[in-house]
Structure formats: structure tokens, C-alpha cells
Amino acid sequence: MPDPAARGAAEEASVLSHPAVAPDASAPYGDHPDQVIDFYAPRDGRTSAPLVVALHGGAWRARFDRGHLTPFVDFLARRGFAVASVEYRRGGGIPRQGGTAPAAGRWPETFDDVAAALDALPELAAAHLPQADPDRMVLTGHSAGGQLALWAAARHVLPAGSPWRLPGPAPLRGVVALAPIAHFGRAVELGVCGDAVTELLGGPDAPAGRAAATDPSVLLPTGIATTVVQGRDDVDVPLAVAEAFAEAAERAGETVGLTLLEDVGHFPLIDPAADACAVVAEEIAQLAW
């Protein structure tokens, strides 16, 4: 049996070995350089296609941007989807009053950006991706991006007074979350991604309300179709995190689909060279078409 850590490193090397794929168009949704959406038209020439909104992972840390997700995004475009890939501000030790920004995430900017991007998307897609059908929209995201996708779909159940709250559900066909950091409590117990959740929320002494407003396992039920795709051998975001999220959904009266892939770790889900990537595309298609 291969060493899980060694296999995980090989899987990461594989997904990062693909050259970046340039978008067909890009548009800002704010003034910061990271507030940008890239658009990929369906490669089969169709004039109307479901819109997949993709949020990249990387533990909400600045060293990982949307570039590593572009081969996956292009893979979806070659499957006939219109795709919008969202960039957002991440943690990177940027000086601010009282010290430096957390290594993972920027509070509240990371969530400000995802909310602003989704709010601006209908108008931007109409201008820059006319093939996209906004009535057939699916959110997807990998790892930390999976958390953000689940969170974006749950904005209508955020605590009252939240600046990100929507008055009703977003017009989504559903969410396909790929190895998401979807249960903060379990992720903290396991030290996922170097205690990234704790850093995202602002450290061990962060206000309790931050987790209540961002933890997908708390923001339930959403009433939006949700599927989690998870490799059984994931050493970066272990299966236990996905299982804890699915159990929380069940307790809240909501059924979450959990697609488990044998002999698969964290990165094959977004690696066009891996069979797991085709499974992800099929899960998206089942919601989108």
C-alpha cells in the first residue's frame, strides 16, 4: 500500500503540472486586484450553457490563487459548461493595525469578496459570457473554495444583521463541493491545513460569532441541492470532515449527497488527468442540465 503522504504529494504535483489556461474574458467586481472574475466559454460552440461558478482552494492563503484551478475550469468548459472562476482576497501577512493579517484568509475581506462577486455575477456574465444561462447556475469549489461555495449558497440563512445575508435563496441549481472544509469544529480537531480554520476566523480568541456566520455545518438547512465529492484517502481534508458536515445536515433535516471515491486523495478532484475529475463533471451536470 503506498504511503498516503507520498501519494498526496504526487497527486498535488500532478495537478500543478498542467499549464495555466487563459480565460476568454476577465472583469473586475471591485477595485482590489484580487477582485476579478475570469470567464470561460463552452468549447463546443453552444450558445446557451449552464453557468458553473468555481471557487479555488488553497486554505484561504495568498500563495494559492485561481491559476492552479484553470486546467479544471477549462476541463469543464470542454464539457460544454460556461464557467466563471472567482478570485478573492486571501491571507498573506499584510500589515494592518495591531499586527499582521492571518496566514489563512482575511477577515472580513474574504467573505466580502465572495458575496460581492456572486452579487455582481449576473450582470458581468451577461456582458462577458453571453453563452451562460443564469437560470442553470451551479456553484463548485475545492477545499477552502468548497467551504466558500457552501457558504455562498447559505447566505439567506446567515444570522440576522449579517452584512452578507440575502433575503431569500440564491437562484442556484445546486452546489457541488469538492473535499470542502465544511465542518469547522471537526477541521479544527484534526488541524486541517495547518489550523487554517482558526487562522481564517482570526485566531483562537476570535469572536464566536465569526464561526456562526461562516461555518457551513451551522448554516443549515439551505434548501439548495448539495453534493459533496470526497476522496476516501484524502490526507489534506480528511473524509471525517465531509462526514461531519453530512451528519450535521441530516440533523437539520436536509439530505446532502456524499459521493465517495476509492483510492483518491485531495487533488485528483480538480486534475483533468484523473478519472475523479470526470466524476466531478458528471455530478455538476446532474444538477445543471
Side-chain angles (χ1 to χ4, degrees):
M1 180 178 295
D3 175 66
R7 184 169 72 176
E11 290 174 344
E12 181 177 7
S14 177
V15 80
L16 296 177
S17 70
H18 303 291
V21 181
D24 297 303
S26 297
Y29 61 88
D31 296 329
H32 192 277
D34 285 337
Q35 293 175 318
V36 62
I37 303 175
D38 291 338
F39 296 101
Y40 294 76
R43 304 308 188 208
D44 58 5
R46 69 182 69 206
T47 57
S48 180
L51 174 60
V52 180
V53 183
L55 292 154
H56 72 82
W60 310 285
R61 293 186 172 113
R63 64 182 288 252
F64 300 100
D65 63 15
R66 69 194 185 282
H68 78 274
L69 198 67
T70 62
F72 169 74
V73 167
D74 178 66
F75 178 84
L76 294 179
R78 287 187 280 112
R79 290 293 186 107
F81 297 106
V83 189
S85 180
V86 176
E87 190 57 275
Y88 52 91
R89 283 174 284 182
R90 299 150 336 269
I94 299 172
R96 61 171 60 175
Q97 185 176 4
T100 59
R106 291 176 61 175
W107 186 277
E109 292 93 339
T110 296
F111 297 97
D112 286 343
D113 286 359
V114 172
L118 269 293
D119 291 346
L121 186 59
E123 182 176 346
L124 293 178
H128 300 280
L129 191 62
Q131 301 92 335
D133 181 354
D135 293 327
R136 292 182 289 168
M137 183 163 60
V138 175
L139 294 184
T140 191
H142 179 242
S143 195
Q147 178 271 330
L148 292 172
L150 292 168
W151 175 82
R155 288 172 60 197
H156 59 293
V157 297
L158 287 172
S162 169
W164 307 307
R165 183 181 170 98
L166 292 177
L172 298 172
R173 286 288 182 91
V175 182
V176 179
L178 314 176
I181 305 177
H183 192 289
F184 282 3
R186 196 74 180 99
V188 168
E189 290 174 3
L190 296 171
V192 165
C193 298
D195 293 320
V197 167
T198 300
E199 294 176 356
L200 172 72
L201 298 176
D205 298 323
R210 292 186 177 184
T214 53
D215 181 351
S217 70
V218 174
L219 301 173
L220 293 164
T222 65
I224 292 174
T226 300
T227 297
V228 173
V229 183
Q230 176 76 38
R232 283 191 180 274
D233 295 338
D234 193 329
V235 296
D236 294 279
V237 183
L239 172 58
V241 177
E243 290 177 330
F245 173 69
E247 291 166 2
E250 184 176 8
R251 289 193 298 271
E254 189 158 80
T255 300
V256 167
L258 183 55
T259 299
L260 302 180
L261 303 182
E262 301 292 338
D263 300 318
V264 169
H266 193 59
F267 293 98
L269 305 178
I270 58 167
D271 186 347
D275 292 342
C277 199
V279 175
V280 169
E282 181 58 32
E283 293 288 356
I284 293 172
Q286 288 184 25
L287 292 176
W289 293 105

